[in-house]
Amino acid sequence: MDLSGPVLKTLFSETSHSKKPFRVIKTKIVKDDSFEIQKSVKDWCDVENLDLVVTTGGTGFGVRDVTPEAVQPLFEKSCTGITHAMIKASLEKTVFAALSRPVCGIRGNTIILTVPGSPKGAKENIQAILNVLPHAIDLVRGETGENVHAQLRVESHECVHHDHKHGDKHQYSSTSLFGPALNIITEHSNTLSPIKVPVDENLIGMVLAEDVVARLPVPGYRASILDGYAVVASDGPGIYPVVGVSIANTSHLPADKLLPGQIARITTGGPVPPGATAVVMVEDTTLIRASADGLQEESVEIHVQVNDGANIREIGSDTSVGSIVARKGELLSAVGGEIGVLASVGVCVYRRPVIGVLSTGNEVIDHKNTLELKYGQIFDSNRPTLFSIAKATGFEVKDFGIVDDDPKELEKTLNTALTQVDVLVSTGGVSMGELDLFKPTLEKSLGATIHFGRVKMKPGKPTTFATLSGTSGAPEKLIFGLPGNPVSATVTFYLFVLPALRKLAGYENWNSPILPAELTDKLSLDPRPEYHRAVISFDHSKGKFMATSTGHQISSRMLSLRSCNALLKLPEKTDQCKELDKGSTVDAILIGQLS
Ligand SMILES: Nc1nc2c(c(=O)[nH]1)N[C@H]1C(S)=C(S)[C@@H](COP(=O)(O)OP(=O)(O)OC[C@H]3O[C@@H](n4cnc5c(N)ncnc54)[C@H](O)[C@@H]3O)O[C@H]1N2
Ligand code: MOO
Ligand SMILES: [Mg+2]
């Protein structure tokens, strides 16, 4: 008769797990047959997906005691500590506990325990580990239970100095405010080395690494400003023979120069013939006689007196040789002016940083790979969002995909990525959960230096910044661990990553512009300084920018970023100030277009 089964069932039912009792939902009596035992345990782990499977009996020294040998091959991980705790507790009661051979392990999300068959022994063993079981189950399930929470609060408490000597606990230096955190980042964002590049549209968004000096004059020849006739100005008005034509880069003249009393047809930009001293626009002339075929004018009347030099761009009048046409530090904008100026010369610009982006999380699924989500899964919105911002702001991104919450996989991907990029941006896994592995992996496996791991701001509290020294004089790599929440990832990209990218690319002004804006409604304040998503627009009647909140600001709600073009800098809530009134003026960080 099974006596220990009911004893354990009662014990579990009386025990609280996350304020709910354990529920024993399966019981079964199995013969002392390895195959039968394995089949049942495997079924409960793999098919039923139970949190905990406990076998009683078959752990002794008897010939028919085969449970440990049957169960052990099913383990993916051994739980030696639990086994020790059980044996230790029993040994304290009787030395005969030494004749028990329990084994404990993990298969998938299930913990498997083998305890003795005697009701007393079984109860003692389970009681010995009952307190750690909820915590263990939470960890194996990847959830954050209260025990885990308490443990992690110790493990990641804020400290000012980063110190490896604090034992095994993870301690990541914390910066309390956004400003100092950004300063740390920009101190490490050293402008990359200059490169020589051809002048084309790829220059947009690049910064000149040296002054650009004109090597050639513009124009390189005397060029006409108008369509008309090249003349000798001192000839004055009158009827003249048309002796030649100067169109664009071709010039047909009977002699090597225009003589007084002669004129030549010329088009805009065409080379003014030697001897000509001015150009008269065609509107100030009349055709007197044309050739027989009507294609060529033979004589033309000039109606106006022009001065020497009229309507001629002299050599070098736009740009003289040796003049500085663009200065070091100048940003080559998309408006086109700078690129147009440089079109005649080669340029040296700062290399633009290469950025790697990856998402982390077992629940994160690439939206391009499936249209279906299983329970608990979510689509990866962070990578497409960050790619878009990077592209729109002129930076090249490499995609490192989605990485599971697995330290080895994370380490492998980070190592690969860091050989290819200047800046690595990862999202997720930086907060307090037990699957938040980014910081320990960076520090322990990659040897990176974490400069801060928390910032007093909303959103973006767990934002992490680290650096990894470059090999053989190469610049250090910048590593950003942005929070997984999509809004937090996006906002912190704008606030932390973009300034770093701009500084690496040589921008003198790397921060986004800030405008004063008036609130159209009152806003409640948060205990953390907040970067509140809003739409700002210029109100012509008031002569100022107006800011309207995008609504509920929870960090998971991407809709709070829809149409948003600014982040309002809101101060933290104090006893004296809990909200900002309608009409208050706040700083608005411009992140999008003004409409
Ligand atoms: N006990 C505490 N818990 C949390 C704290 C805290 O201080 N104490 N901070 C909260 C804050 S604030 C944030 S922000 C989040 C940050 O979490 P993690 O960076 O660790 O990110 P995950 O846990 O991996 O994911 C959080 C959330 O975001 C979703 N997610 C993750 N990746 C993506 C993606 N690529 N696309 C879309 N959504 C994504 C994920 O499913 C979670 O819902 O931590 C709080 N917790
Ligand atoms: O600080 Mo988290 O980024 O608000 O949600
Ligand atoms: Mg987390």
Side-chain angles (χ1 to χ4, degrees), residues 144 149 359-361 363-364 376 378-383 405 427-433 435-436 454 457 459-462 482-486 488 528 555-556:
T144 309
H149 174 93
S359 295
T360 68
E363 80 283 24
V364 182
I378 50 146
F379 281 127
D380 182 1
S381 59
N382 289 349
R383 271 184 316 142
D405 294 315
T427 64
V430 285
S431 193
M432 315 278 274
L435 288 182
D436 292 339
R454 278 165 92 73
M457 64 189 288
K461 184 164 65 164
L482 306 185
N485 273 325
S488 317
R528 286 177 268 162
S555 302
S556 52

Side-chain angles (χ1 to χ4, degrees), residues 22 93-94 130 136 242 378 477 533 574:
F22 281 101
K93 302 270 163 54
T94 168
L130 210 48
V242 181
I378 50 146
K477 311 274 179 173
R533 279 76 74 202
T574 59

Side-chain angles (χ1 to χ4, degrees), residues 487-511:
V487 172
S488 317
T490 309
V491 169
T492 52
F493 189 90
Y494 276 113
L495 293 179
F496 289 121
V497 183
L498 206 48
L501 299 180
R502 288 181 175 144
K503 186 146 186 257
L504 289 168
Y507 282 47
E508 283 168 5
N509 298 319
W510 50 81
N511 284 317

Side-chain angles (χ1 to χ4, degrees), residues 149-479:
H149 174 93
Q151 176 80 5
L152 288 170
R153 257 194 9 233
V154 176
E155 288 198 352
S156 53
H157 71 265
E158 295 193 11
C159 63
V160 177
H161 298 293
H162 181 68
D163 188 348
H164 289 277
K165 298 188 198 74
H166 284 188
D168 289 340
K169 305 281 185 212
H170 307 151
Q171 299 188 359
Y172 302 107
S173 58
S174 169
T175 302
S176 58
L177 286 168
F178 168 72
L182 184 59
N183 285 345
I184 292 175
I185 292 172
T186 50
E187 272 163 26
H188 285 273
S189 307
N190 296 315
T191 297
L192 297 169
S193 47
I195 46 169
K196 199 90 180 161
V197 290
V199 175
D200 58 27
E201 70 284 2
N202 293 316
L203 276 179
I204 294 170
M206 295 183 114
V207 175
L208 288 172
E210 53 187 42
D211 290 349
V212 179
V213 176
R215 286 181 295 112
L216 299 169
V218 181
Y221 53 88
R222 296 163 75 225
S224 173
I225 293 173
L226 298 167
D227 298 314
Y229 293 90
V231 299
V232 177
S234 55
D235 285 348
I239 296 173
Y240 297 97
V242 181
V243 298
V245 180
S246 178
I247 303 171
N249 64 350
T250 53
S251 180
H252 304 288
L253 286 175
D256 57 359
K257 62 183 283 198
L258 198 72
L259 300 173
Q262 297 179 334
I263 62 173
R265 178 149 55 89
I266 193 163
T267 57
T268 304
V272 175
T277 61
V279 172
V280 174
M281 67 197 293
V282 70
E283 293 89 327
D284 292 332
T285 68
T286 309
L287 175 65
I288 301 297
R289 196 174 64 247
S291 60
D293 57 11
L295 295 176
Q296 193 65 47
E297 69 272 59
E298 287 183 348
S299 61
V300 162
E301 182 170 0
I302 303 289
H303 297 298
V304 291
Q305 173 68 58
V306 286
N307 295 330
D308 276 345
N311 303 320
I312 295 176
R313 286 157 62 220
E314 293 297 339
I315 293 170
S317 60
D318 288 353
T319 311
S320 59
V321 177
S323 65
I324 293 177
V325 292
R327 295 224 173 253
K328 177 178 174 175
E330 226 169 277
L331 174 65
L332 302 167
S333 78
V335 175
E338 298 83 13
I339 309 280
V341 164
L342 301 177
S344 56
V345 287
V347 287
C348 192
V349 290
Y350 294 112
R351 188 169 69 75
R352 246 186 301 216
V354 177
I355 305 133
V357 172
L358 61 98
S359 295
T360 68
N362 294 342
E363 80 283 24
V364 182
I365 305 295
D366 192 329
H367 67 289
K368 289 190 190 143
N369 291 348
T370 179
L371 296 174
E372 300 281 322
L373 287 182
K374 294 197 189 116
Y375 181 73
Q377 293 183 331
I378 50 146
F379 281 127
D380 182 1
S381 59
N382 289 349
R383 271 184 316 142
T385 306
L386 302 190
F387 290 169
S388 311
I389 305 173
K391 185 168 183 192
T393 48
F395 294 100
E396 186 196 331
V397 184
K398 284 182 190 279
D399 183 5
F400 291 95
I402 301 168
V403 186
D404 276 350
D405 294 315
D406 172 81
K408 285 279 161 255
E409 206 197 316
L410 188 60
E411 180 185 340
K412 195 166 153 225
T413 309
L414 292 179
N415 268 324
T416 309
L418 284 164
T419 59
Q420 300 177 31
V421 302
D422 301 295
V423 178
L424 187 60
V425 182
S426 165
T427 64
V430 285
S431 193
M432 315 278 274
E434 66 275 20
L435 288 182
D436 292 339
L437 304 165
F438 193 73
K439 293 181 225 196
T441 305
L442 273 187
E443 196 170 46
K444 292 190 174 156
S445 307
L446 273 78
T449 305
I450 296 181
H451 298 282
F452 59 82
R454 278 165 92 73
V455 186
K456 188 177 180 191
M457 64 189 288
K458 182 192 172 201
K461 184 164 65 164
T463 305
T464 298
F465 173 65
T467 51
L468 187 66
S469 314
T471 44
S472 46
E476 65 178 356
K477 311 274 179 173
L478 308 191
I479 307 166

